[in-house]
Amino acid sequence: MTAPTPVDQHAPYDLLGVGIGPFNLSLAALADSATDLNALFLDSRPGFSWHPGMLMTGTTLQVPFLADLVTMADPTSRWSYLNYLRHHDRMFRFFFSERFHIPRREYDAYLRWVAEGLDSCRFDSEVTALEWDERADAFAVTYRTGGAEHRVLARQVVLGVGTDPVLPSALADLSTGPHAARVLHSADYRTHRAALATATDVTVVGSGQSGAEVVLDLLRHQDGEGLGGPYVRWLARTPAFAPMEYSKLGLEHFTPDYVRHFRALPEATRERLVGDQWQLYKGVSGDTLGEIYDELYERTIGGGQPRASLHPDTAVVAAAPEDRGYRLTCRSGQQDEEFEVHTSAVVCATGYRASRPAFLKPLADLVAWDAQGRYRVDGAYRVALDDRITGTLYVQNAEMHTHGVGAPDLTLGAWRSATILNAVTGRPVLPMAERQAFTTFGVPAPESEGGPR
């Protein structure tokens, strides 16, 4: 039995973050102004990258640039997107471009600028174990970097490890080994983009923004004369290829007001709502749908036909390899009938799911999981733990079941980070207004005397 790695000669960190995606990076950026806070953020990757498989030219962020890492909580922060533009001499160009939704590639560049500028962020640092050290009265975090193993202590830990790509069960077994380049998740699309563009037939599965962007990109690889590029097929389980809910009042579901309302609902109601509200977070930008339609329309000029087909309300229920490709068995939901599709390649734009990280195993028995093995999370994003633990564990983007559809959305990222930072420090480092929405969610409070009846 090997001896445990000795603790580094460093005072316990006040806050240690595991994972440096946009949400923990937001927390690190906001915490940078709290000079009395000793913080460290670790990530196993060699450097920052944000969904590199989907960074195609022409794709844009689905939220306005004000939903950067800090502005919605602290617009004076030096880590704002506008300050990034100033540091890169792009302020006038951005002003004249009149962009409210910025290129996805530039958002990635902005995040990388922040990650590289924060001393608290360390990459190439893989966390291998998180446990509670009773003698030290702190969390012990073991991580490996540069071939060496380190063990540090932290009073509070925040998990921002992101989510994992999810494939339909019918296709999961075909996504490895010799099929990996032809049955893949959209997270890997850019890696295989050139090869897919030369395929005979590509089927895209998934109704959201990623699926739409892959479909549009593949259509643009067609030469418009029917001579080159793949036949493009789009399958989606949703009843329609629907635009994302983007009305001004509809967007108020991404406010702290709605989060508080959602948290107070019974668990069964919350579970139902997350499914019913798919258009709030799984819909497609209306502009992207319009561009797809225009590409298809262009193909009909002069009596032509698009080399594409769109199939909503369709689920892939089985898949098998065959000569030169795959046979997909699909089911139409409303008709409850099956049909077969033969395709050369499949791109699954079927979303992501939070999972329990392996490094959490030493602590797993001290976490109060819910009946489905998920974190129980309070209003300050604290995870319920055994009473023996005096430290605090937080999570980011693993709480849709307790906080609603805003959990993975960038709009609430800075507000959630500010909420965690205030809880970590025990003081309002970043005071947040209580009421943000015009909408009253749920039963209204009794009106004051003289108010409306």
Side-chain angles (χ1 to χ4, degrees):
M1 184 175 180
T2 57
T5 302
V7 175
D8 284 12
Q9 296 302 309
H10 188 289
Y13 288 95
D14 299 313
L15 176 66
L16 189 144
V18 184
I20 307 177
F23 296 131
N24 259 1
L25 186 57
S26 168
L27 179 57
L30 291 173
D32 191 46
S33 64
T35 54
D36 59 336
L37 186 69
N38 188 12
L40 175 67
F41 292 81
L42 305 172
D43 195 288
S44 61
R45 297 170 299 172
F48 186 89
S49 62
W50 180 72
H51 294 299
M54 290 297 294
L55 293 181
M56 287 97 70
T57 300
T59 57
T60 58
L61 210 59
Q62 284 186 284
V63 295
F65 72 90
L66 291 173
D68 62 15
L69 297 173
V70 295
T71 296
M72 297 294 280
D74 181 10
T76 68
S77 170
R78 68 186 180 115
W79 300 114
S80 70
Y81 177 74
L82 289 178
N83 199 35
Y84 156 82
L85 292 174
R86 185 178 71 86
H87 273 267
H88 290 80
D89 297 324
R90 293 175 56 78
M91 190 65 81
F92 274 88
R93 292 172 180 173
F94 177 73
F95 178 74
F96 294 133
S97 73
E98 296 186 344
R99 288 181 179 269
F100 202 48
H101 293 80
I102 62 178
R104 192 176 291 175
R105 290 172 57 239
E106 185 154 50
Y107 181 69
D108 173 69
Y110 155 66
L111 297 180
R112 194 161 52 251
W113 171 73
V114 176
E116 291 172 355
L118 287 169
D119 292 336
S120 60
C121 292
R122 296 183 192 173
F123 290 89
D124 193 24
S125 300
E126 180 187 7
V127 173
T128 57
L130 173 63
E131 52 198 315
W132 180 248
D133 189 323
E134 292 185 2
R135 290 178 299 177
D137 197 31
F139 291 102
V141 182
T142 304
Y143 69 96
R144 185 181 298 111
T145 182
E149 195 167 74
H150 299 265
R151 191 168 184 263
V152 295
L153 299 175
R155 297 185 178 91
Q156 302 182 79
V157 172
V158 57
L159 304 181
V161 295
T163 50
D164 298 324
V166 176
L167 277 74
S169 56
L171 290 160
D173 290 342
L174 294 177
S175 63
T176 58
H179 305 286
R182 291 190 295 157
V183 178
L184 59 135
H185 194 274
S186 57
D188 298 316
Y189 174 70
R190 195 163 172 238
T191 303
H192 302 286
R193 183 181 180 216
L196 290 169
T198 63
T200 304
D201 177 299
V202 178
T203 296
V204 180
V205 181
S207 61
Q209 183 68 20
S210 295
E213 288 176 354
V214 171
V215 167
L216 181 59
D217 191 63
L218 289 169
L219 287 174
R220 286 173 172 167
H221 276 93
Q222 296 176 348
D223 60 14
E225 303 292 333
L227 301 177
Y231 182 93
V232 181
R233 185 182 297 101
W234 192 9
L235 310 178
R237 297 179 64 178
T238 52
F241 295 107
M244 178 173 287
E245 170 57 66
Y246 209 73
S247 66
K248 294 177 181 179
L249 287 177
L251 288 175
E252 289 199 333
H253 285 84
F254 302 97
T255 58
D257 307 64
Y258 184 72
V259 171
R260 285 190 292 270
H261 165 73
F262 186 89
R263 276 190 39 75
L265 296 172
E267 183 176 348
T269 304
R270 295 199 303 260
E271 297 286 347
R272 175 179 57 79
L273 273 176
V274 168
D276 291 347
Q277 294 173 339
W278 63 271
Q279 220 167 325
L280 286 168
Y281 65 104
K282 289 184 178 179
V284 183
S285 159
D287 289 342
T288 306
L289 289 174
E291 291 178 87
I292 291 173
Y293 188 92
D294 290 346
E295 288 288 336
L296 298 174
Y297 179 83
E298 187 78 18
R299 308 298 194 271
T300 66
I301 296 175
Q305 288 296 321
R307 295 179 53 245
S309 59
L310 282 61
H311 306 270
D313 191 40
T314 299
V316 178
V317 296
E322 60 181 11
D323 290 345
R324 300 180 185 178
Y326 304 91
R327 181 180 69 255
L328 309 183
T329 302
C330 305
R331 177 177 290 120
S332 174
Q334 294 175 9
Q335 294 175 288
D336 196 25
E337 293 184 17
E338 291 188 354
F339 63 96
E340 288 189 348
V341 162
H342 302 272
T343 187
S344 306
V346 184
V347 180
C348 298
T350 44
Y352 300 79
R353 181 187 300 135
S355 61
R356 190 181 304 182
F359 65 76
L360 205 60
K361 186 176 180 180
L363 196 68
D365 291 342
L366 298 174
V367 175
W369 308 101
D370 73 4
Q372 298 187 48
R374 302 170 300 193
Y375 302 107
R376 297 183 187 275
V377 188
D378 74 4
Y381 299 92
R382 291 176 289 232
V383 175
L385 300 172
D386 187 282
D387 290 341
R388 288 172 290 177
I389 296 182
T390 59
T392 310
L393 181 68
Y394 301 85
V395 290
Q396 300 218 61
N397 194 17
E399 74 286 351
M400 184 183 284
H401 59 293
T402 57
H403 287 65
V405 294
D409 194 89
L410 296 173
T411 305
L412 281 168
W415 173 80
R416 177 174 51 197
S417 292
T419 300
I420 293 173
L421 181 61
N422 291 342
V424 165
T425 59
R427 67 182 192 275
V429 176
L430 295 168
M432 306 296 290
E434 189 71 16
R435 185 76 190 266
Q436 302 280 3
F438 291 116
T439 304
T440 298
F441 297 104
V443 178
E447 298 288 354
S448 60
E449 185 176 348
R453 301 293 181 184

